[in-house]
Amino acid sequence: MEENKLKQNEEEKSPPSTDDSQQQEPQLNIPSTDEPIGSAETIIEVDQQPSTLNPQPSTIEDMEVHHHAHDPAAPHHKKNWKNYFWEFLMLFLAVFCGFLAEYQLEHVIEHQREEKYAASFLEDIKKDTAYLRREIPYWKDLLTHIDTIRAEIEKPSGFRNNLSLYKSMSHMRTYSNFEYHDRTIEQLKNGGNFRLIRKSIVADSIIDYDASIKSILRDQESQSNDIYRNLNYFQDKILNSKYFNDAVNNPKFVDSIFKNNPNAFIISAQKESELFEYYNRLQFYRQITSYRVGSLNRINRRATNLIKLIKTEYHLN
């Protein structure tokens, strides 16, 4: 027994053998009770597959993420007053620039609308001046007929030129009112768009022009209309209105009637009182008509100057 123990101790102290073949043989002959022994090919395939079960842990330096010191999105980053100031400044500039852009756009749109209103008003006032060029001569001619009527009535009945009197009285049947083209002005006033006319000299001239027509000329027209109806009432009592239209539109026809019958237009003595009253009312009609001609001339001058002003200020033709 002691010899066997000594041999065992010597075997344990002896160095391992370098012969791989001798060491593997006893291992292959020992059956394993846990797992079946596979073939050599299976073992080789297992040894050739890369191992992924236990990856080597990365170092702390590789895993560490370096954040920029001034990055506001970094975790646990505390903003100071400078960060808040720049954020407020950028937000303020964005809102302010948007406001400027909107204001500029509105300014451009209003400027375009102003030019459209100016062009529209220019067309209206051109129509006014065209009508005034016909209106003023008409009323001047009527003043001449009124003077002729009054001059003939002042004569004794036997010395009156009844043909001339009849022709002039026939013109009292005609009438004309100024046709005011106020389409654009009404749009400016009713729509509250007078503020679009930024040029004060143009806006003031338009207002004065409109007032001169509506407050002065329209008042004169109203008085003239009343007298006109009254005068024609008296004319129907004095004269036969059968040839009034012919006396205005076809004077030669009336001349032929008077030539064939000189007494066709003689006013009877019974109508002298009505004729005298007609004469007095005619005087007031002449006065109103004279004022009216003066107003039409002033309106025409204002309209002409306003046309020049609008063309100059807005570069219109």
Side-chain angles (χ1 to χ4, degrees):
M1 294 292 291
E2 293 180 356
E3 290 179 359
N4 291 333
K5 290 180 179 180
L6 290 174
K7 287 181 181 180
Q8 234 173 352
N9 292 333
E10 288 178 359
E11 289 178 358
E12 290 177 356
K13 294 179 180 180
S14 62
S17 175
T18 58
D19 191 356
D20 295 336
S21 61
Q22 292 180 0
Q23 292 179 359
Q24 292 177 359
E25 287 178 358
Q27 293 177 0
L28 293 174
N29 293 329
I30 299 173
S32 173
T33 59
D34 296 332
E35 295 179 0
I37 298 173
S39 63
E41 294 179 357
T42 305
I43 296 173
I44 293 171
E45 288 178 2
V46 170
D47 292 339
Q48 289 178 353
Q49 292 179 357
S51 176
T52 58
L53 296 177
N54 296 318
Q56 294 294 329
S58 59
T59 61
I60 297 176
E61 293 181 357
D62 294 337
M63 294 178 66
E64 185 177 354
V65 179
H66 295 279
H67 297 284
H68 198 274
H70 299 287
D71 186 5
H76 309 295
H77 180 77
K78 294 182 178 180
K79 298 181 181 179
N80 54 26
W81 67 271
K82 292 182 179 180
N83 298 123
Y84 288 109
F85 171 77
W86 284 112
E87 288 180 3
F88 169 77
L89 181 61
M90 295 301 292
L91 180 62
F92 173 79
L93 290 176
V95 175
F96 182 69
C97 291
F99 170 77
L100 289 180
E102 184 178 359
Y103 177 79
Q104 183 64 22
L105 178 62
E106 183 178 357
H107 179 74
V108 172
I109 293 175
E110 289 187 351
H111 182 65
Q112 292 175 349
R113 292 180 64 191
E114 178 186 9
E115 291 183 345
K116 289 182 179 180
Y117 277 123
S120 178
F121 179 75
L122 183 62
E123 294 300 320
D124 290 346
I125 202 170
K126 283 181 178 179
K127 295 177 182 178
D128 289 346
T129 54
Y131 198 87
L132 286 167
R133 285 193 293 268
R134 299 190 301 268
E135 189 83 352
I136 294 173
Y138 168 82
W139 290 104
K140 285 184 176 180
D141 184 63
L142 189 65
L143 284 174
T144 302
H145 290 295
I146 292 174
D147 292 339
T148 301
I149 296 171
R150 284 171 54 80
E152 292 298 328
I153 293 176
E154 290 174 356
K155 297 177 182 179
S157 59
F159 295 92
R160 293 173 186 150
N161 186 341
N162 291 330
L163 178 61
S164 177
L165 182 62
Y166 191 84
K167 286 182 177 180
S168 294
M169 291 179 74
S170 65
H171 284 275
M172 296 298 104
R173 289 288 196 187
T174 62
Y175 198 81
S176 178
N177 276 331
F178 173 63
E179 185 177 352
Y180 183 32
H181 300 85
D182 58 349
R183 174 197 57 175
T184 305
I185 292 181
E186 290 301 318
Q187 289 179 357
L188 289 172
K189 292 192 298 185
N190 296 336
N193 294 319
F194 242 113
R195 61 179 180 82
L196 297 176
I197 309 300
R198 297 172 299 167
K199 302 178 186 296
S200 59
I201 186 173
V202 176
D204 293 341
S205 299
I206 292 176
I207 293 173
D208 291 342
Y209 175 76
D210 182 64
S212 64
I213 294 176
K214 293 185 176 179
S215 64
I216 299 176
L217 183 61
R218 291 311 188 199
D219 182 63
Q220 293 173 354
E221 287 179 348
S222 177
Q223 295 183 49
S224 181
N225 290 341
D226 294 337
I227 301 172
Y228 167 79
R229 287 189 290 267
N230 191 268
L231 285 173
N232 278 275
Y233 168 76
F234 276 95
Q235 284 189 174
D236 291 339
K237 293 176 66 176
I238 297 170
L239 299 175
N240 183 4
S241 62
K242 179 179 179 180
Y243 304 110
F244 274 167
N245 290 334
D246 294 324
V248 174
N249 301 317
N250 190 11
K252 292 183 178 180
F253 175 73
V254 177
D255 291 343
S256 64
I257 294 175
F258 181 78
K259 184 178 180 180
N260 296 327
N261 184 10
N263 297 322
F265 307 122
I266 294 176
I267 301 173
S268 63
Q270 290 81 3
K271 301 295 182 180
E272 287 294 326
S273 61
E274 285 87 353
L275 188 63
F276 181 74
E277 188 173 356
Y278 175 79
Y279 171 86
N280 290 334
R281 294 179 183 273
L282 198 62
Q283 171 60 25
F284 185 51
Y285 190 54
R286 189 194 188 285
Q287 185 178 359
I288 294 296
T289 303
S290 180
Y291 291 156
R292 187 170 184 173
V293 171
S295 297
L296 291 171
N297 281 319
R298 286 190 295 272
I299 292 171
N300 187 43
R301 287 193 296 268
R302 286 185 177 182
T304 303
N305 294 332
L306 192 52
I307 288 174
K308 294 178 181 179
L309 178 64
I310 292 175
K311 285 183 177 181
T312 301
E313 294 293 333
Y314 294 97
H315 309 287
L316 299 173
N317 298 323

